[in-house]
Amino acid sequence: MFEFIELTTKSLLELNLTQVLISILTIIISILILKFLLFKDKIVKFVVEAPIEAKPGWNDGKILEKPCLRDVSNPGYITCYDPATGQFLATIPAHTDDDVKEALKKARNAQQKWVQTTFAERKRVLNSLLNFIINNQEEICWVSSRDTGKTLVDGKFGEILSTCEKIRWIIKRGEKALATEYREASPVMPYKLAKIEYHPLGVVAALVSWNYPFHNTFIPIISSLFIGNGILIKASEQVAWSMQYYNKIIKTCLIECGHDPDIVQFLCGFPDCGEAIVRSGVDGITFIGSSSVGKQVMKAASDNLTPCILELGGKDCAIIRHDANLSHALPIIMRGTFQNAGQNCVGLERILVHESLYNEFVDRVTDQIKKMKVGSVLNDDIVVDVGAMTMSGQGERLQNLIQASVSEGAKLILGGRPYIHPKYPTAQYFEPTLLIDVTPQMTILKQELFAPIMVVMKFSTDEEAIEICNKSLYGLGNSVFSGDQSKGDWMSKRLRCGMVNVNDFGATYLNNLPFGGVGISWFGRFGGIEGLRSLCLMKSVTTDRIPFFKTSIPRVLDYPMHSNGSSFISNLVILLYDNSLIDKIKAITGLIKNSSS
């Protein structure tokens, strides 16, 4: 035995590093080939061409003098345009109440068939969709960028990476999350099996925002399809143009996988279309948007008592403690603030910096923000850092908020006004802005900005930072940067919000934890196990553990009632729940006496 070990050790020592690496690489390649051979049939390849207008350099659209979604001379249509250039893209019919009714009818019919599919069949659809996304990242982001004005990096983060991760998780973990869950039976009925089953709700609806049109539409789609639901998707009218392409992607995927594409219904329209969906009688509603509209959605849903999940934005904080590593924290905070031109529900809208690091932080972010370039990633010959504002009319609102804060004592270091593009003067941009010395009572802290604006505040103690954070009516997520992990955890427990990232931003979402908050930020959860189950009919079921051992009503408790019935139950309670052994023995005696009387 010892000779064998000695020989083996000697052989390994004689191998050089190159041979070891080649051996490891050979094993990895073999595993990948085997995986491909085993699972190749699970992927169906399909093709959907992106519209010509999405291609980089396209410049054939008419420049709109005053870009606006609504045309008073054509009220039944949505005027689609590129906010980064002001170029006209298309005119698309706005869906109406009749369209909603027809869509719901189609989805319900298709869902009757879809609910009979197996998880394996649903995974095949999702694997095929994932394969398409991976191989068409550029085209998907071009379309999103053309419709919203975002940069390609912002698109790769928000549209591609996050969507691929959600699909991966559902394929790998979704079936287990929806598996029947067994619970401990009561000592009153130890012969019972107690379980929870997760069934499809039927046909659900998702009314989603415009900031990430691909991701925001496909996440409720993939969750609903995996569960067995049909779905109506109503995207914001701001992104009606991109929805035409995204609709074709999922419909083609379903058709090529052999399923009825009517299981997914895309709708685009103005607020009346959204209200029609909410009142239509769908079996569940997910809404992503503002708090004010969320209240209207909940009110309309109450007519049918339709369950709602409401994602209503945030005013997230990043707390930088005195012991934080600024070199580590700064890039994350810059990304959390300026990603997608600040148009993120979990965007960092309040940066709280300890007084000992405050001046250094301000100096360093000033240098970085000065270098940021604004423009159209598809039409400008520069590396763009900050794209367009998707919604029109935001410049004046933001400028007024900043001016109000300056009059209240804040200092405007950079930006603070709309950016006028030299080639596209009607495009919608706002300069990357740095506003410092902001205090809790200032106007700018009372509403969500959704813009490329860094708001910096100073604090002295952890308790003060927590108080400032928790003072907001919003309560979605927060970040804490600290060199002391235990202090970061201590602070996270005291922040009134739904999500906290210690030394990071947005990590809870990519780690598939439930996404949501408190206050006017949220109602319900999506993402992760809890989010998947929230789109299910959760059914509690009991069955007999042993077929011939069933519940039997004692004669003393049967109708017509016996005089000893109350005493029997009292003794039963003592037997099951009293801590005294003597009292339990007495209770058994009492039960025998009650039963025989």
Side-chain angles (χ1 to χ4, degrees):
M1 181 64 182
F2 290 109
E3 291 177 358
F4 173 76
I5 294 172
E6 184 180 358
L7 182 63
T8 303
T9 305
K10 185 178 180 182
S11 299
L12 288 171
L13 290 172
E14 288 175 355
L15 288 174
N16 60 37
L17 181 60
T18 303
Q19 290 174 312
V20 173
L21 290 175
I22 291 172
S23 300
I24 293 172
L25 188 61
T26 302
I27 293 170
I28 292 172
I29 292 172
S30 301
I31 291 171
L32 291 174
I33 293 172
L34 181 62
K35 185 177 179 181
F36 172 77
L37 293 173
L38 289 173
F39 297 103
K40 64 178 181 177
D41 293 335
K42 290 189 176 183
I43 294 176
V44 176
K45 294 184 178 180
F46 60 95
V47 176
V48 180
E49 294 293 333
I52 188 67
E53 295 90 346
K55 302 291 175 67
W58 177 81
N59 221 15
D60 296 334
K62 176 186 175 183
I63 300 291
L64 300 179
E65 197 172 310
K66 292 184 178 180
C68 184
L69 296 174
R70 286 181 181 267
D71 184 346
V72 290
S73 64
N74 206 7
Y77 290 80
I78 302 168
T79 302
C80 304
Y81 64 92
D82 175 3
T85 64
Q87 291 186 90
F88 173 79
L89 295 174
T91 301
I92 295 173
H95 288 121
T96 64
D97 183 49
D98 289 339
D99 295 319
V100 171
K101 290 175 182 175
E102 181 63 21
L104 180 57
K105 181 180 177 181
K106 287 181 178 179
R108 287 212 183 278
N109 289 337
Q111 197 263 341
Q112 296 303 311
K113 293 174 284 183
W114 180 253
V115 76
Q116 302 301 321
T117 59
T118 63
F119 280 124
E121 290 175 291
R122 298 171 195 174
K123 287 180 183 179
R124 187 170 182 245
V125 171
L126 297 189
N127 271 311
S128 301
L129 177 61
L130 179 59
N131 181 71
F132 178 88
I133 294 170
I134 293 168
N135 291 300
N136 293 271
Q137 297 180 51
E138 300 301 326
E139 290 81 359
I140 291 169
C141 286
W142 290 345
V143 171
S144 176
S145 294
R146 186 64 75 192
D147 211 12
T148 67
K150 63 168 47 65
T151 70
L152 293 181
V153 170
D154 291 342
K156 294 288 177 67
F157 267 127
E159 306 284 28
I160 304 298
L161 177 66
S162 54
T163 304
C164 289
E165 172 55 30
K166 297 301 177 185
I167 296 175
R168 180 206 67 83
W169 183 87
I170 287 183
I171 291 170
K172 186 175 182 180
R173 303 292 182 188
E175 191 171 352
K176 183 178 179 181
L178 301 180
T180 298
E181 186 179 348
Y182 288 88
R183 297 288 178 87
E184 179 186 3
S186 164
V188 179
M189 310 179 90
Y191 53 89
K192 287 290 186 181
L193 279 176
K195 59 184 179 179
I196 302 171
E197 297 174 348
Y198 298 95
H199 297 276
L201 272 177
V203 175
V204 298
L207 288 72
V208 299
S209 60
W210 45 261
N211 54 338
Y212 293 100
F214 182 76
H215 180 74
N216 287 347
T217 52
F218 273 78
I219 291 310
I221 287 173
I222 63 177
S223 298
S224 296
L225 290 181
F226 191 80
I227 291 165
N229 290 329
I231 184 168
L232 308 187
I233 282 281
K234 194 275 180 188
S236 166
E237 58 270 27
Q238 300 283 345
V239 289
W241 180 76
S242 56
M243 287 304 111
Q244 313 308 301
Y245 173 58
Y246 298 153
N247 183 24
K248 287 178 185 175
I249 291 174
I250 190 61
K251 292 292 182 75
T252 304
C253 181
L254 287 163
I255 291 169
E256 293 300 317
C257 289
H259 302 291
D260 188 346
D262 283 348
I263 191 69
V264 178
Q265 294 290 317
F266 272 75
L267 294 158
C268 277
F270 296 111
D272 59 311
C273 174
E275 183 176 357
I277 294 172
V278 173
R279 297 184 185 277
S280 66
V282 291
D283 302 302
I285 295 167
T286 299
F287 171 78
I288 304 174
S290 68
S291 300
S292 58
V293 178
K295 291 176 184 178
Q296 296 174 33
V297 168
M298 198 169 182
K299 184 176 180 180
S302 68
D303 287 349
N304 295 316
L305 293 179
T306 307
C308 293
I309 300 168
L310 306 178
E311 194 270 270
L312 308 175
K315 197 75 180 167
D316 290 16
C317 279
I319 300 173
I320 304 175
R321 297 185 73 246
H322 69 279
D323 58 356
N325 182 337
L326 277 188
S327 295
H328 166 260
L330 274 173
I332 297 173
I333 288 170
M334 288 290 291
R335 173 58 58 184
T337 303
F338 294 105
Q339 161 79 17
N340 200 30
Q343 298 166 119
N344 303 285
C345 58
V346 291
L348 298 178
E349 296 216 357
R350 295 177 291 165
I351 312 301
L352 279 63
V353 186
H354 189 268
E355 58 187 6
S356 65
L357 298 176
Y358 190 81
N359 291 337
E360 181 186 356
F361 177 87
V362 170
D363 289 343
R364 291 176 70 170
V365 294
T366 299
D367 288 342
Q368 280 196 264
I369 296 171
K370 275 181 182 177
K371 299 172 185 175
M372 296 177 77
K373 296 180 179 68
V374 180
S376 168
V377 74
L378 297 179
N379 289 77
D380 287 330
D381 295 325
I382 59 171
V383 177
V384 175
D385 298 296
V386 178
M389 303 296 292
T390 305
M391 286 185 69
S392 62
Q394 296 303 297
E396 184 178 356
R397 175 183 75 89
L398 296 169
Q399 203 166 6
N400 289 340
L401 283 170
I402 291 167
Q403 288 172 354
S405 296
V406 169
S407 68
E408 294 164 348
K411 291 179 184 177
L412 178 62
I413 304 299
L414 295 169
R417 61 187 178 183
Y419 170 76
I420 307 302
H421 195 290
K423 290 195 297 183
Y424 306 108
T426 63
Q428 300 163 185
Y429 293 99
F430 200 82
E431 293 182 357
T433 297
L434 177 60
L435 188 69
I436 70 169
D437 294 353
V438 175
T439 55
Q441 73 277 7
M442 289 185 181
T443 306
I444 202 164
L445 297 183
K446 293 178 170 56
Q447 61 177 274
E448 191 175 25
L449 298 178
F450 233 57
I453 300 173
M454 180 178 284
V455 173
V456 185
M457 308 171 71
K458 185 187 294 185
F459 74 91
S460 301
T461 65
D462 290 343
E463 289 76 15
E464 181 188 3
I466 292 168
E467 183 182 354
I468 292 171
C469 248
N470 291 343
K471 196 170 185 178
S472 175
L473 294 175
Y474 293 94
L476 188 51
N478 292 301
S479 296
V480 178
F481 292 87
S482 175
D484 185 337
Q485 183 73 42
S486 63
K487 269 296 182 182
D489 291 340
W490 179 86
M491 291 192 78
S492 73
K493 289 178 172 63
R494 285 155 179 80
L495 293 172
R496 188 175 183 274
C497 58
M499 301 171 289
V500 179
N501 296 289
V502 178
N503 292 322
D504 217 326
F505 154 77
T508 52
Y509 192 61
L510 279 177
N511 281 283
N512 297 294
L513 295 173
F515 190 85
V518 295
I520 64 172
S521 283
W522 206 278
F523 192 93
R525 291 291 186 274
F526 66 67
I529 295 172
E530 294 78 7
L532 198 62
R533 290 174 174 177
S534 70
L535 294 172
C536 296
L537 169 61
M538 186 171 67
K539 186 181 292 185
S540 299
V541 179
T542 63
T543 58
D544 294 320
R545 192 184 297 270
I546 304 171
F548 55 81
F549 203 112
K550 302 180 185 300
T551 297
S552 176
I553 303 295
R555 185 169 169 238
V556 68
L557 298 178
D558 199 4
Y559 292 106
M561 293 301 298
H562 194 279
S563 60
N564 290 334
S566 177
S567 179
F568 181 91
I569 296 176
S570 293
N571 282 310
L572 181 62
V573 169
I574 293 169
L575 174 64
L576 294 173
Y577 306 111
D578 198 291
N579 292 324
S580 169
L581 179 60
I582 295 174
D583 289 340
K584 284 179 180 291
I585 294 171
K586 289 179 180 178
I588 292 172
T589 304
L591 286 171
I592 296 171
K593 180 180 178 182
N594 294 148
S595 300
S596 59
S597 299

